[in-house]
Amino acid sequence: MPSMNNAAIIDRMKPWYPDEQAYAGPEHLDGAYVTAYDKKARFDPTEDISLLLDAGMDNDSVVIDLGAGTGTFALAAAPHCREVIAVDVSAAMVELLRRRVHDGGITNVRVVQAGFLSYEHQGDLADVIFTRNALHQLPDFWKVAALERMASMLRPGGTVRIRDLIFDFDPASADERIEAWMDGAVTDPTVGFTAGELAEHVRGEFSTYSWLLEQMLSKVGFDVLDRSFVRSAYGAYTCTRRA
Ligand SMILES: C[S@@+](CC[C@H](N)C(=O)[O-])C[C@H]1O[C@@H](n2cnc3c(N)ncnc32)[C@H](O)[C@@H]1O
């Protein structure tokens, strides 16, 4: 059942829009999983921050982090910019991040419970949009809608950095490449993702091919400045919004 907050979000949307919480991955809505998430995810945002500073992020920048989770990126970006808006559809993630912001006395991180398809940006257009390991929760049609919405929130010339599980290989080699990717899985689920979890990801979530994502990026008005992949599955794109 959607929570009250989510019901309110859905109410404001067109009737054919999906319930983003239903797509969000049940684990992300689960308080115990959320509390243990950072140890499992082992996300170090240092390289992303450095790359975004090189791309022009500064203390006047408005930054949006979509699918912000526990806020690892948002909290690391905050000292470098004017405002970070950390958006996540999960009440459990939002609660944890709000607590972190409050306990840390951080005044320039705003936490919003909303999704890629429902977040309504107000105020100055963003200079930077960041999203990591969240876009794959949406099927491709809705990824395009999410990217289109991201383009509408970003100023021309602004930077979008997308990191996600994206498959950078030909369809003919998919089984072989996915097996090779799974060889890098861990056995302890508290410190990483197991082969079973990766299989569940491929089966039930919506990671897409790099060559499809690149079409989507171009279609909504993003030019790719830089792309990199690890194990042909962990993708990172830095793009700019065309004027
Ligand atoms: C794997 S976590 C990644 C969190 C964080 N970006 C990181 O890299 O550590 C995915 C996050 O995306 C959020 N999420 C899933 N679907 C979403 C949607 N449609 N809109 C916004 N957030 C979403 C989940 O609640 C979860 O916090």
Side-chain angles (χ1 to χ4, degrees), residues 19-21 23-25 27-29 33-34 37-38 41 43 65-73 87-91 93-94 114-118 130-138 163 165 193 205:
D19 172 356
E20 290 183 273
Q21 271 190 13
Y23 281 110
E27 70 279 19
H28 299 132
L29 312 180
Y33 184 94
V34 167
Y37 175 79
D38 285 346
F43 167 32
D65 182 4
L66 290 164
T70 55
T72 304
F73 171 81
V87 180
D88 202 286
V89 81
S90 155
M93 291 287 190
V94 162
F116 284 106
L117 305 175
S118 61
F130 180 81
T131 184
R132 178 178 178 274
N133 290 3
L135 195 60
H136 70 256
Q137 302 287 354
L138 295 175
R163 294 186 55 183
L165 287 131
F193 293 86
E205 299 188 6

mmCIF file of all heavy atoms in Angstrom, residues 19-21 23-25 27-29 33-34 37-38 41 43 65-73 87-91 93-94 114-118 130-138 163 165 193 205, ligand 1:
data_model
loop_
_atom_site.group_PDB
_atom_site.id
_atom_site.type_symbol
_atom_site.label_atom_id
_atom_site.label_comp_id
_atom_site.label_asym_id
_atom_site.label_seq_id
_atom_site.Cartn_x
_atom_site.Cartn_y
_atom_site.Cartn_z
ATOM 1 N N ASP A 19 3.108 4.454 -9.959
ATOM 2 C CA ASP A 19 3.410 4.690 -8.549
ATOM 3 C C ASP A 19 4.910 4.421 -8.388
ATOM 4 O O ASP A 19 5.348 3.269 -8.421
ATOM 5 C CB ASP A 19 2.563 3.729 -7.705
ATOM 6 C CG ASP A 19 2.956 3.761 -6.229
ATOM 7 O OD1 ASP A 19 3.919 4.467 -5.879
ATOM 8 O OD2 ASP A 19 2.290 3.051 -5.453
ATOM 9 N N GLU A 20 5.693 5.472 -8.225
ATOM 10 C CA GLU A 20 7.151 5.292 -8.197
ATOM 11 C C GLU A 20 7.617 4.491 -6.986
ATOM 12 O O GLU A 20 8.669 3.869 -7.035
ATOM 13 C CB GLU A 20 7.858 6.650 -8.236
ATOM 14 C CG GLU A 20 7.706 7.328 -9.579
ATOM 15 C CD GLU A 20 8.463 8.648 -9.642
ATOM 16 O OE1 GLU A 20 7.889 9.668 -9.247
ATOM 17 O OE2 GLU A 20 9.623 8.637 -10.051
ATOM 18 N N GLN A 21 6.835 4.519 -5.910
ATOM 19 C CA GLN A 21 7.235 3.697 -4.763
ATOM 20 C C GLN A 21 7.097 2.217 -5.084
ATOM 21 O O GLN A 21 7.867 1.400 -4.599
ATOM 22 C CB GLN A 21 6.395 4.042 -3.533
ATOM 23 C CG GLN A 21 7.028 5.154 -2.740
ATOM 24 C CD GLN A 21 6.370 5.374 -1.393
ATOM 25 O OE1 GLN A 21 5.582 4.563 -0.910
ATOM 26 N NE2 GLN A 21 6.689 6.492 -0.797
ATOM 27 N N TYR A 23 7.803 0.910 -7.805
ATOM 28 C CA TYR A 23 8.976 0.569 -8.620
ATOM 29 C C TYR A 23 10.297 0.762 -7.870
ATOM 30 O O TYR A 23 11.349 0.470 -8.422
ATOM 31 C CB TYR A 23 9.035 1.476 -9.864
ATOM 32 C CG TYR A 23 8.123 1.086 -10.995
ATOM 33 C CD1 TYR A 23 7.005 1.856 -11.328
ATOM 34 C CD2 TYR A 23 8.392 -0.040 -11.761
ATOM 35 C CE1 TYR A 23 6.180 1.509 -12.382
ATOM 36 C CE2 TYR A 23 7.570 -0.394 -12.826
ATOM 37 C CZ TYR A 23 6.467 0.387 -13.125
ATOM 38 O OH TYR A 23 5.656 0.043 -14.166
ATOM 39 N N ALA A 24 10.220 1.325 -6.653
ATOM 40 C CA ALA A 24 11.454 1.822 -6.012
ATOM 41 C C ALA A 24 12.365 0.726 -5.482
ATOM 42 O O ALA A 24 13.509 0.997 -5.126
ATOM 43 C CB ALA A 24 11.102 2.784 -4.880
ATOM 44 N N GLY A 25 11.879 -0.516 -5.477
ATOM 45 C CA GLY A 25 12.646 -1.593 -4.847
ATOM 46 C C GLY A 25 12.220 -1.665 -3.392
ATOM 47 O O GLY A 25 12.499 -0.722 -2.632
ATOM 48 N N GLU A 27 13.284 -3.037 -0.832
ATOM 49 C CA GLU A 27 14.334 -2.889 0.187
ATOM 50 C C GLU A 27 14.574 -1.420 0.533
ATOM 51 O O GLU A 27 14.884 -1.085 1.681
ATOM 52 C CB GLU A 27 15.633 -3.588 -0.274
ATOM 53 C CG GLU A 27 16.389 -2.946 -1.428
ATOM 54 C CD GLU A 27 15.816 -3.275 -2.822
ATOM 55 O OE1 GLU A 27 14.639 -3.690 -2.925
ATOM 56 O OE2 GLU A 27 16.544 -3.068 -3.820
ATOM 57 N N HIS A 28 14.399 -0.534 -0.442
ATOM 58 C CA HIS A 28 14.662 0.888 -0.182
ATOM 59 C C HIS A 28 13.585 1.533 0.700
ATOM 60 O O HIS A 28 13.750 2.662 1.165
ATOM 61 C CB HIS A 28 14.790 1.662 -1.499
ATOM 62 C CG HIS A 28 15.919 1.173 -2.344
ATOM 63 N ND1 HIS A 28 15.793 0.896 -3.686
ATOM 64 C CD2 HIS A 28 17.198 0.881 -2.015
ATOM 65 C CE1 HIS A 28 16.960 0.463 -4.145
ATOM 66 N NE2 HIS A 28 17.812 0.442 -3.159
ATOM 67 N N LEU A 29 12.495 0.818 0.882
ATOM 68 C CA LEU A 29 11.408 1.332 1.722
ATOM 69 C C LEU A 29 11.494 0.747 3.131
ATOM 70 O O LEU A 29 10.692 1.078 3.998
ATOM 71 C CB LEU A 29 10.054 0.992 1.095
ATOM 72 C CG LEU A 29 9.894 1.315 -0.408
ATOM 73 C CD1 LEU A 29 8.499 0.934 -0.889
ATOM 74 C CD2 LEU A 29 10.169 2.788 -0.693
ATOM 75 N N TYR A 33 16.926 -2.127 6.207
ATOM 76 C CA TYR A 33 17.831 -2.123 5.043
ATOM 77 C C TYR A 33 18.469 -0.735 4.891
ATOM 78 O O TYR A 33 19.663 -0.607 4.637
ATOM 79 C CB TYR A 33 17.038 -2.487 3.785
ATOM 80 C CG TYR A 33 17.889 -2.613 2.524
ATOM 81 C CD1 TYR A 33 18.394 -3.855 2.127
ATOM 82 C CD2 TYR A 33 18.176 -1.499 1.741
ATOM 83 C CE1 TYR A 33 19.166 -3.970 0.978
ATOM 84 C CE2 TYR A 33 18.951 -1.605 0.597
ATOM 85 C CZ TYR A 33 19.437 -2.846 0.212
ATOM 86 O OH TYR A 33 20.199 -2.954 -0.925
ATOM 87 N N VAL A 34 17.661 0.287 5.096
ATOM 88 C CA VAL A 34 18.132 1.672 4.929
ATOM 89 C C VAL A 34 19.228 1.982 5.961
ATOM 90 O O VAL A 34 20.258 2.566 5.627
ATOM 91 C CB VAL A 34 16.938 2.655 5.033
ATOM 92 C CG1 VAL A 34 17.395 4.096 5.193
ATOM 93 C CG2 VAL A 34 16.035 2.501 3.807
ATOM 94 N N TYR A 37 22.356 0.419 4.845
ATOM 95 C CA TYR A 37 22.650 0.644 3.416
ATOM 96 C C TYR A 37 24.083 1.123 3.148
ATOM 97 O O TYR A 37 24.760 0.626 2.250
ATOM 98 C CB TYR A 37 21.630 1.638 2.821
ATOM 99 C CG TYR A 37 21.952 1.991 1.393
ATOM 100 C CD1 TYR A 37 21.617 1.121 0.350
ATOM 101 C CD2 TYR A 37 22.651 3.151 1.075
ATOM 102 C CE1 TYR A 37 21.955 1.423 -0.962
ATOM 103 C CE2 TYR A 37 22.986 3.459 -0.230
ATOM 104 C CZ TYR A 37 22.634 2.595 -1.240
ATOM 105 O OH TYR A 37 22.982 2.883 -2.538
ATOM 106 N N ASP A 38 24.568 2.085 3.929
ATOM 107 C CA ASP A 38 25.880 2.679 3.602
ATOM 108 C C ASP A 38 27.005 1.657 3.655
ATOM 109 O O ASP A 38 27.906 1.679 2.817
ATOM 110 C CB ASP A 38 26.190 3.849 4.541
ATOM 111 C CG ASP A 38 25.380 5.087 4.174
ATOM 112 O OD1 ASP A 38 24.801 5.117 3.076
ATOM 113 O OD2 ASP A 38 25.315 6.008 5.000
ATOM 114 N N ALA A 41 26.586 -0.368 0.482
ATOM 115 C CA ALA A 41 26.791 0.328 -0.801
ATOM 116 C C ALA A 41 28.238 0.787 -0.989
ATOM 117 O O ALA A 41 28.724 0.868 -2.117
ATOM 118 C CB ALA A 41 25.851 1.523 -0.889
ATOM 119 N N PHE A 43 29.714 3.612 -1.032
ATOM 120 C CA PHE A 43 29.791 4.646 -2.078
ATOM 121 C C PHE A 43 30.699 5.776 -1.612
ATOM 122 O O PHE A 43 30.444 6.417 -0.607
ATOM 123 C CB PHE A 43 28.363 5.137 -2.379
ATOM 124 C CG PHE A 43 28.285 6.400 -3.199
ATOM 125 C CD1 PHE A 43 29.240 6.717 -4.165
ATOM 126 C CD2 PHE A 43 27.229 7.285 -3.009
ATOM 127 C CE1 PHE A 43 29.156 7.886 -4.923
ATOM 128 C CE2 PHE A 43 27.125 8.454 -3.761
ATOM 129 C CZ PHE A 43 28.102 8.754 -4.710
ATOM 130 N N ASP A 65 19.997 16.211 -6.258
ATOM 131 C CA ASP A 65 20.395 14.799 -6.217
ATOM 132 C C ASP A 65 19.103 13.977 -6.245
ATOM 133 O O ASP A 65 18.315 14.010 -5.295
ATOM 134 C CB ASP A 65 21.200 14.540 -4.932
ATOM 135 C CG ASP A 65 21.691 13.104 -4.818
ATOM 136 O OD1 ASP A 65 21.482 12.313 -5.750
ATOM 137 O OD2 ASP A 65 22.289 12.789 -3.764
ATOM 138 N N LEU A 66 18.886 13.275 -7.339
ATOM 139 C CA LEU A 66 17.632 12.518 -7.498
ATOM 140 C C LEU A 66 17.858 11.050 -7.122
ATOM 141 O O LEU A 66 18.773 10.405 -7.653
ATOM 142 C CB LEU A 66 17.144 12.632 -8.944
ATOM 143 C CG LEU A 66 16.638 14.033 -9.332
ATOM 144 C CD1 LEU A 66 16.538 14.169 -10.854
ATOM 145 C CD2 LEU A 66 15.287 14.327 -8.700
ATOM 146 N N GLY A 67 17.014 10.536 -6.242
ATOM 147 C CA GLY A 67 17.242 9.191 -5.707
ATOM 148 C C GLY A 67 18.418 9.256 -4.737
ATOM 149 O O GLY A 67 19.320 8.428 -4.772
ATOM 150 N N ALA A 68 18.372 10.260 -3.861
ATOM 151 C CA ALA A 68 19.535 10.604 -3.024
ATOM 152 C C ALA A 68 19.850 9.558 -1.969
ATOM 153 O O ALA A 68 20.960 9.527 -1.437
ATOM 154 C CB ALA A 68 19.275 11.951 -2.338
ATOM 155 N N GLY A 69 18.885 8.716 -1.627
ATOM 156 C CA GLY A 69 19.126 7.671 -0.632
ATOM 157 C C GLY A 69 19.530 8.258 0.707
ATOM 158 O O GLY A 69 18.921 9.209 1.217
ATOM 159 N N THR A 70 20.597 7.721 1.280
ATOM 160 C CA THR A 70 21.050 8.158 2.608
ATOM 161 C C THR A 70 21.833 9.465 2.539
ATOM 162 O O THR A 70 22.314 9.951 3.563
ATOM 163 C CB THR A 70 21.935 7.076 3.244
ATOM 164 O OG1 THR A 70 22.998 6.790 2.315
ATOM 165 C CG2 THR A 70 21.156 5.796 3.520
ATOM 166 N N GLY A 71 22.033 9.997 1.335
ATOM 167 C CA GLY A 71 22.601 11.341 1.192
ATOM 168 C C GLY A 71 24.114 11.404 1.088
ATOM 169 O O GLY A 71 24.698 12.473 1.276
ATOM 170 N N THR A 72 24.751 10.301 0.763
ATOM 171 C CA THR A 72 26.226 10.312 0.696
ATOM 172 C C THR A 72 26.730 11.408 -0.244
ATOM 173 O O THR A 72 27.631 12.177 0.103
ATOM 174 C CB THR A 72 26.747 8.932 0.241
ATOM 175 O OG1 THR A 72 26.236 7.970 1.142
ATOM 176 C CG2 THR A 72 28.264 8.880 0.227
ATOM 177 N N PHE A 73 26.132 11.499 -1.436
ATOM 178 C CA PHE A 73 26.563 12.543 -2.374
ATOM 179 C C PHE A 73 26.104 13.915 -1.897
ATOM 180 O O PHE A 73 26.887 14.879 -1.880
ATOM 181 C CB PHE A 73 26.032 12.268 -3.792
ATOM 182 C CG PHE A 73 26.285 13.430 -4.711
ATOM 183 C CD1 PHE A 73 27.527 13.602 -5.307
ATOM 184 C CD2 PHE A 73 25.299 14.384 -4.946
ATOM 185 C CE1 PHE A 73 27.787 14.703 -6.118
ATOM 186 C CE2 PHE A 73 25.547 15.487 -5.752
ATOM 187 C CZ PHE A 73 26.793 15.651 -6.346
ATOM 188 N N VAL A 87 16.399 14.517 -3.266
ATOM 189 C CA VAL A 87 15.049 14.029 -3.552
ATOM 190 C C VAL A 87 15.048 12.503 -3.505
ATOM 191 O O VAL A 87 15.899 11.866 -4.130
ATOM 192 C CB VAL A 87 14.611 14.494 -4.965
ATOM 193 C CG1 VAL A 87 13.207 13.993 -5.300
ATOM 194 C CG2 VAL A 87 14.699 16.011 -5.093
ATOM 195 N N ASP A 88 14.124 11.940 -2.766
ATOM 196 C CA ASP A 88 14.001 10.473 -2.768
ATOM 197 C C ASP A 88 12.543 10.107 -2.511
ATOM 198 O O ASP A 88 11.840 10.781 -1.765
ATOM 199 C CB ASP A 88 14.900 9.823 -1.718
ATOM 200 C CG ASP A 88 15.204 8.374 -2.055
ATOM 201 O OD1 ASP A 88 14.290 7.521 -1.901
ATOM 202 O OD2 ASP A 88 16.329 8.088 -2.511
ATOM 203 N N VAL A 89 12.131 9.012 -3.138
ATOM 204 C CA VAL A 89 10.735 8.601 -3.042
ATOM 205 C C VAL A 89 10.461 7.801 -1.767
ATOM 206 O O VAL A 89 9.307 7.650 -1.365
ATOM 207 C CB VAL A 89 10.373 7.817 -4.341
ATOM 208 C CG1 VAL A 89 10.838 6.375 -4.264
ATOM 209 C CG2 VAL A 89 8.909 7.933 -4.682
ATOM 210 N N SER A 90 11.528 7.310 -1.139
ATOM 211 C CA SER A 90 11.357 6.433 0.022
ATOM 212 C C SER A 90 11.268 7.225 1.324
ATOM 213 O O SER A 90 12.184 7.988 1.661
ATOM 214 C CB SER A 90 12.546 5.459 0.095
ATOM 215 O OG SER A 90 12.747 5.018 1.419
ATOM 216 N N ALA A 91 10.197 7.005 2.076
ATOM 217 C CA ALA A 91 10.027 7.702 3.361
ATOM 218 C C ALA A 91 11.154 7.336 4.320
ATOM 219 O O ALA A 91 11.641 8.185 5.071
ATOM 220 C CB ALA A 91 8.672 7.344 3.962
ATOM 221 N N MET A 93 14.309 6.441 3.604
ATOM 222 C CA MET A 93 15.546 7.141 3.204
ATOM 223 C C MET A 93 15.460 8.623 3.597
ATOM 224 O O MET A 93 16.410 9.193 4.135
ATOM 225 C CB MET A 93 15.754 7.036 1.681
ATOM 226 C CG MET A 93 16.102 5.648 1.180
ATOM 227 S SD MET A 93 17.799 5.203 1.609
ATOM 228 C CE MET A 93 18.006 3.698 0.650
ATOM 229 N N VAL A 94 14.312 9.224 3.315
ATOM 230 C CA VAL A 94 14.124 10.651 3.591
ATOM 231 C C VAL A 94 14.244 10.916 5.097
ATOM 232 O O VAL A 94 14.886 11.883 5.520
ATOM 233 C CB VAL A 94 12.754 11.100 3.024
ATOM 234 C CG1 VAL A 94 12.288 12.404 3.633
ATOM 235 C CG2 VAL A 94 12.847 11.223 1.502
ATOM 236 N N ALA A 114 9.941 12.782 -2.929
ATOM 237 C CA ALA A 114 9.304 12.815 -4.253
ATOM 238 C C ALA A 114 10.107 11.906 -5.168
ATOM 239 O O ALA A 114 11.173 11.403 -4.775
ATOM 240 C CB ALA A 114 9.272 14.238 -4.806
ATOM 241 N N GLY A 115 9.597 11.708 -6.368
ATOM 242 C CA GLY A 115 10.272 10.825 -7.315
ATOM 243 C C GLY A 115 10.757 11.580 -8.544
ATOM 244 O O GLY A 115 10.484 12.774 -8.710
ATOM 245 N N PHE A 116 11.446 10.853 -9.419
ATOM 246 C CA PHE A 116 11.883 11.426 -10.703
ATOM 247 C C PHE A 116 10.695 12.045 -11.449
ATOM 248 O O PHE A 116 10.843 13.032 -12.139
ATOM 249 C CB PHE A 116 12.434 10.318 -11.617
ATOM 250 C CG PHE A 116 13.802 9.821 -11.263
ATOM 251 C CD1 PHE A 116 13.971 8.576 -10.665
ATOM 252 C CD2 PHE A 116 14.924 10.571 -11.555
ATOM 253 C CE1 PHE A 116 15.237 8.094 -10.371
ATOM 254 C CE2 PHE A 116 16.203 10.097 -11.268
ATOM 255 C CZ PHE A 116 16.349 8.854 -10.672
ATOM 256 N N LEU A 117 9.533 11.408 -11.316
ATOM 257 C CA LEU A 117 8.375 11.812 -12.122
ATOM 258 C C LEU A 117 7.450 12.764 -11.378
ATOM 259 O O LEU A 117 6.478 13.243 -11.960
ATOM 260 C CB LEU A 117 7.590 10.563 -12.555
ATOM 261 C CG LEU A 117 8.417 9.513 -13.300
ATOM 262 C CD1 LEU A 117 7.584 8.264 -13.578
ATOM 263 C CD2 LEU A 117 8.968 10.080 -14.608
ATOM 264 N N SER A 118 7.743 13.016 -10.110
ATOM 265 C CA SER A 118 6.824 13.866 -9.345
ATOM 266 C C SER A 118 7.491 15.073 -8.712
ATOM 267 O O SER A 118 6.796 16.003 -8.297
ATOM 268 C CB SER A 118 6.126 13.053 -8.244
ATOM 269 O OG SER A 118 7.091 12.537 -7.350
ATOM 270 N N PHE A 130 22.537 15.377 -10.196
ATOM 271 C CA PHE A 130 23.277 14.136 -9.964
ATOM 272 C C PHE A 130 22.265 13.042 -9.687
ATOM 273 O O PHE A 130 21.258 13.269 -9.017
ATOM 274 C CB PHE A 130 24.203 14.313 -8.753
ATOM 275 C CG PHE A 130 25.013 13.100 -8.414
ATOM 276 C CD1 PHE A 130 26.185 12.809 -9.110
ATOM 277 C CD2 PHE A 130 24.624 12.240 -7.398
ATOM 278 C CE1 PHE A 130 26.948 11.686 -8.794
ATOM 279 C CE2 PHE A 130 25.388 11.116 -7.079
ATOM 280 C CZ PHE A 130 26.553 10.842 -7.776
ATOM 281 N N THR A 131 22.533 11.859 -10.193
ATOM 282 C CA THR A 131 21.711 10.716 -9.788
ATOM 283 C C THR A 131 22.565 9.463 -9.866
ATOM 284 O O THR A 131 23.293 9.258 -10.837
ATOM 285 C CB THR A 131 20.425 10.597 -10.627
ATOM 286 O OG1 THR A 131 19.644 9.509 -10.108
ATOM 287 C CG2 THR A 131 20.693 10.370 -12.109
ATOM 288 N N ARG A 132 22.500 8.654 -8.815
ATOM 289 C CA ARG A 132 23.316 7.434 -8.798
ATOM 290 C C ARG A 132 22.466 6.235 -8.390
ATOM 291 O O ARG A 132 21.780 6.257 -7.375
ATOM 292 C CB ARG A 132 24.495 7.582 -7.825
ATOM 293 C CG ARG A 132 25.350 6.318 -7.725
ATOM 294 C CD ARG A 132 26.519 6.515 -6.788
ATOM 295 N NE ARG A 132 27.309 5.302 -6.662
ATOM 296 C CZ ARG A 132 27.053 4.313 -5.799
ATOM 297 N NH1 ARG A 132 26.021 4.391 -4.980
ATOM 298 N NH2 ARG A 132 27.831 3.246 -5.753
ATOM 299 N N ASN A 133 22.518 5.230 -9.220
ATOM 300 C CA ASN A 133 21.902 3.925 -8.954
ATOM 301 C C ASN A 133 20.413 4.018 -8.620
ATOM 302 O O ASN A 133 19.917 3.291 -7.756
ATOM 303 C CB ASN A 133 22.660 3.181 -7.839
ATOM 304 C CG ASN A 133 24.036 2.737 -8.311
ATOM 305 O OD1 ASN A 133 24.437 3.029 -9.442
ATOM 306 N ND2 ASN A 133 24.760 2.029 -7.472
ATOM 307 N N ALA A 134 19.728 4.919 -9.301
ATOM 308 C CA ALA A 134 18.289 5.077 -9.058
ATOM 309 C C ALA A 134 17.485 5.041 -10.360
ATOM 310 O O ALA A 134 16.364 4.504 -10.375
ATOM 311 C CB ALA A 134 18.033 6.385 -8.320
ATOM 312 N N LEU A 135 18.049 5.560 -11.441
ATOM 313 C CA LEU A 135 17.271 5.657 -12.688
ATOM 314 C C LEU A 135 16.836 4.275 -13.202
ATOM 315 O O LEU A 135 15.793 4.138 -13.845
ATOM 316 C CB LEU A 135 18.107 6.397 -13.747
ATOM 317 C CG LEU A 135 17.377 6.908 -14.980
ATOM 318 C CD1 LEU A 135 16.285 7.910 -14.619
ATOM 319 C CD2 LEU A 135 18.356 7.537 -15.971
ATOM 320 N N HIS A 136 17.633 3.260 -12.880
ATOM 321 C CA HIS A 136 17.294 1.906 -13.357
ATOM 322 C C HIS A 136 16.015 1.367 -12.719
ATOM 323 O O HIS A 136 15.518 0.317 -13.124
ATOM 324 C CB HIS A 136 18.452 0.921 -13.083
ATOM 325 C CG HIS A 136 18.626 0.623 -11.621
ATOM 326 N ND1 HIS A 136 19.638 1.167 -10.865
ATOM 327 C CD2 HIS A 136 17.898 -0.134 -10.764
ATOM 328 C CE1 HIS A 136 19.523 0.758 -9.617
ATOM 329 N NE2 HIS A 136 18.468 -0.032 -9.528
ATOM 330 N N GLN A 137 15.501 2.073 -11.716
ATOM 331 C CA GLN A 137 14.246 1.609 -11.102
ATOM 332 C C GLN A 137 13.063 1.822 -12.044
ATOM 333 O O GLN A 137 12.008 1.223 -11.858
ATOM 334 C CB GLN A 137 13.977 2.346 -9.782
ATOM 335 C CG GLN A 137 15.080 2.209 -8.733
ATOM 336 C CD GLN A 137 15.133 0.829 -8.076
ATOM 337 O OE1 GLN A 137 14.274 -0.017 -8.306
ATOM 338 N NE2 GLN A 137 16.151 0.593 -7.293
ATOM 339 N N LEU A 138 13.255 2.689 -13.049
ATOM 340 C CA LEU A 138 12.144 2.991 -13.959
ATOM 341 C C LEU A 138 12.328 2.271 -15.293
ATOM 342 O O LEU A 138 13.437 2.234 -15.840
ATOM 343 C CB LEU A 138 12.090 4.503 -14.229
ATOM 344 C CG LEU A 138 11.759 5.394 -13.035
ATOM 345 C CD1 LEU A 138 11.861 6.868 -13.430
ATOM 346 C CD2 LEU A 138 10.362 5.099 -12.490
ATOM 347 N N ARG A 163 25.094 8.087 -12.754
ATOM 348 C CA ARG A 163 25.813 6.828 -12.514
ATOM 349 C C ARG A 163 24.769 5.750 -12.280
ATOM 350 O O ARG A 163 23.795 5.962 -11.581
ATOM 351 C CB ARG A 163 26.723 6.967 -11.290
ATOM 352 C CG ARG A 163 27.846 7.958 -11.514
ATOM 353 C CD ARG A 163 28.804 7.970 -10.365
ATOM 354 N NE ARG A 163 29.325 6.627 -10.095
ATOM 355 C CZ ARG A 163 30.151 6.347 -9.082
ATOM 356 N NH1 ARG A 163 30.520 7.279 -8.252
ATOM 357 N NH2 ARG A 163 30.580 5.108 -8.890
ATOM 358 N N LEU A 165 23.723 1.204 -12.986
ATOM 359 C CA LEU A 165 23.984 -0.101 -13.597
ATOM 360 C C LEU A 165 23.412 -0.056 -15.000
ATOM 361 O O LEU A 165 22.181 -0.010 -15.183
ATOM 362 C CB LEU A 165 23.309 -1.188 -12.758
ATOM 363 C CG LEU A 165 24.053 -1.417 -11.454
ATOM 364 C CD1 LEU A 165 23.119 -1.420 -10.281
ATOM 365 C CD2 LEU A 165 24.799 -2.727 -11.523
ATOM 366 N N PHE A 193 26.989 -6.549 -2.875
ATOM 367 C CA PHE A 193 25.844 -7.204 -3.515
ATOM 368 C C PHE A 193 26.246 -8.613 -3.946
ATOM 369 O O PHE A 193 27.260 -8.813 -4.614
ATOM 370 C CB PHE A 193 25.356 -6.347 -4.685
ATOM 371 C CG PHE A 193 24.759 -5.046 -4.193
ATOM 372 C CD1 PHE A 193 25.556 -3.938 -3.946
ATOM 373 C CD2 PHE A 193 23.392 -4.955 -3.913
ATOM 374 C CE1 PHE A 193 25.027 -2.752 -3.444
ATOM 375 C CE2 PHE A 193 22.843 -3.771 -3.404
ATOM 376 C CZ PHE A 193 23.660 -2.668 -3.175
ATOM 377 N N GLU A 205 14.577 -5.517 -12.311
ATOM 378 C CA GLU A 205 14.679 -4.059 -12.405
ATOM 379 C C GLU A 205 14.947 -3.688 -13.862
ATOM 380 O O GLU A 205 14.835 -4.533 -14.739
ATOM 381 C CB GLU A 205 15.734 -3.552 -11.397
ATOM 382 C CG GLU A 205 15.292 -3.939 -9.976
ATOM 383 C CD GLU A 205 16.121 -3.362 -8.849
ATOM 384 O OE1 GLU A 205 17.007 -2.543 -9.091
ATOM 385 O OE2 GLU A 205 15.863 -3.755 -7.707
HETATM 386 C C1 LIG B 1 20.387 2.040 -4.696
HETATM 387 S S1 LIG B 1 19.767 3.435 -3.880
HETATM 388 C C2 LIG B 1 20.965 4.690 -4.316
HETATM 389 C C3 LIG B 1 21.025 5.786 -3.302
HETATM 390 C C4 LIG B 1 22.121 6.817 -3.544
HETATM 391 N N1 LIG B 1 21.916 7.547 -4.782
HETATM 392 C C5 LIG B 1 23.473 6.151 -3.564
HETATM 393 O O1 LIG B 1 24.089 6.095 -4.635
HETATM 394 O O2 LIG B 1 23.909 5.669 -2.504
HETATM 395 C C6 LIG B 1 18.391 3.882 -4.914
HETATM 396 C C7 LIG B 1 17.589 5.029 -4.331
HETATM 397 O O3 LIG B 1 16.681 5.494 -5.317
HETATM 398 C C8 LIG B 1 15.446 5.740 -4.699
HETATM 399 N N2 LIG B 1 14.425 5.665 -5.745
HETATM 400 C C9 LIG B 1 13.938 4.569 -6.354
HETATM 401 N N3 LIG B 1 13.055 4.917 -7.289
HETATM 402 C C10 LIG B 1 12.990 6.272 -7.274
HETATM 403 C C11 LIG B 1 12.232 7.222 -8.005
HETATM 404 N N4 LIG B 1 11.387 6.846 -8.955
HETATM 405 N N5 LIG B 1 12.411 8.519 -7.737
HETATM 406 C C12 LIG B 1 13.289 8.920 -6.764
HETATM 407 N N6 LIG B 1 14.002 8.058 -6.021
HETATM 408 C C13 LIG B 1 13.867 6.749 -6.284
HETATM 409 C C14 LIG B 1 15.347 4.662 -3.637
HETATM 410 O O4 LIG B 1 14.403 4.976 -2.633
HETATM 411 C C15 LIG B 1 16.773 4.631 -3.124
HETATM 412 O O5 LIG B 1 16.969 5.563 -2.091
#
